[in-house]
Amino acid sequence: MNKEEKFDLVVALTEQIKEYGNFYITDTSDLTVAKINNIRRKCFENDITMQVTKNSLIKKAMEAAGGDFSPIYDVLKGSSSILFSKSATAPAKLIKQLRKTGEKPILKAAYIDSAVFIGDNQLDTLTKLKSKEQLIGEIVGLLQSPAKNVLSALQSGGTTIAGLVKTLQERG
């Protein structure tokens, strides 16, 4: 790979880091071509982009993307693959599924919306993460719940909101 190809690859990785906001770095060393191709196919089926590249190029792309990726630099050793996905949990779930039939890929690190997860022992945690949309939905549900309870209590007691407002104004 010449300098221009390396530069183009760093630019492409940088753009993916910025675009996706989530990425996983895995160890896929010692896997056969057939197994790597199987992983690539499964990634494609799950809307995950997989790139096998040199650690130095991954590090340069992270530096160019901005943000604090320094905790990840220590895991950039040996053979690395980087997985990009809009879903924070899809790569973790895929890795877990693939591990049912073999020891690899091994999770080295994950970067999810500015949070860093280091080590293969984080895999279970990553599969259980909730998306921003899910968390916002839960918060909205929690905020709506007290209002619904008040309305329900008023209605079950035979009091209407209009009647309550009128009563409060009369006392006021």
Side-chain angles (χ1 to χ4, degrees):
M1 187 180 277
N2 64 35
K3 275 189 171 184
E4 188 176 318
E5 291 171 328
K6 288 179 183 179
F7 178 79
D8 291 343
L9 181 58
V10 169
V11 169
L13 286 173
T14 302
E15 289 173 4
Q16 288 177 308
I17 289 170
K18 289 178 179 179
E19 176 189 346
Y20 287 97
N22 305 311
F23 64 86
Y24 286 61
I25 298 175
T26 63
D27 176 1
T28 53
S29 62
D30 303 327
L31 292 179
T32 65
V33 172
K35 287 184 180 180
I36 291 286
N37 287 338
N38 180 50
I39 292 171
R40 286 183 190 277
R41 187 176 67 255
K42 298 266 187 205
C43 284
F44 179 78
E45 291 169 0
N46 290 282
D47 292 324
I48 300 169
T49 302
M50 178 182 176
Q51 178 76 43
V52 178
T53 190
K54 291 185 175 188
N55 293 315
S56 60
L57 300 179
I58 293 172
K59 184 176 179 181
K60 285 180 182 183
M62 286 190 282
E63 290 169 348
D68 184 17
F69 299 104
S70 57
I72 298 174
Y73 297 159
D74 290 339
V75 303
L76 293 175
K77 296 176 179 131
S79 178
S80 295
S81 299
I82 187 165
L83 308 175
F84 295 101
S85 176
K86 291 287 184 187
S87 165
T89 59
K93 290 175 181 176
L94 178 61
I95 292 168
K96 201 163 183 168
Q97 177 189 357
L98 292 167
R99 294 278 287 280
K100 291 178 182 177
T101 59
E103 295 179 13
K104 291 192 177 179
I106 295 173
L107 177 66
K108 290 183 176 185
Y111 183 85
I112 312 295
D113 293 324
S114 76
V116 176
F117 299 84
I118 303 290
D120 196 57
N121 60 339
Q122 297 293 315
L123 198 55
D124 285 335
T125 302
L126 290 164
T127 61
K128 296 173 186 167
L129 285 179
K130 294 183 179 182
S131 70
K132 284 183 184 179
E133 292 79 16
Q134 289 171 318
L135 291 173
I136 290 170
E138 286 182 12
I139 291 170
V140 168
L142 290 171
L143 292 173
Q144 288 178 341
S145 182
K148 287 180 182 176
N149 290 342
V150 169
L151 290 174
S152 177
L154 289 173
Q155 290 172 348
S156 67
T159 307
T160 64
I161 294 177
L164 179 62
V165 171
K166 184 178 178 183
T167 304
L168 290 174
Q169 287 174 340
E170 290 172 354
R171 290 184 187 175

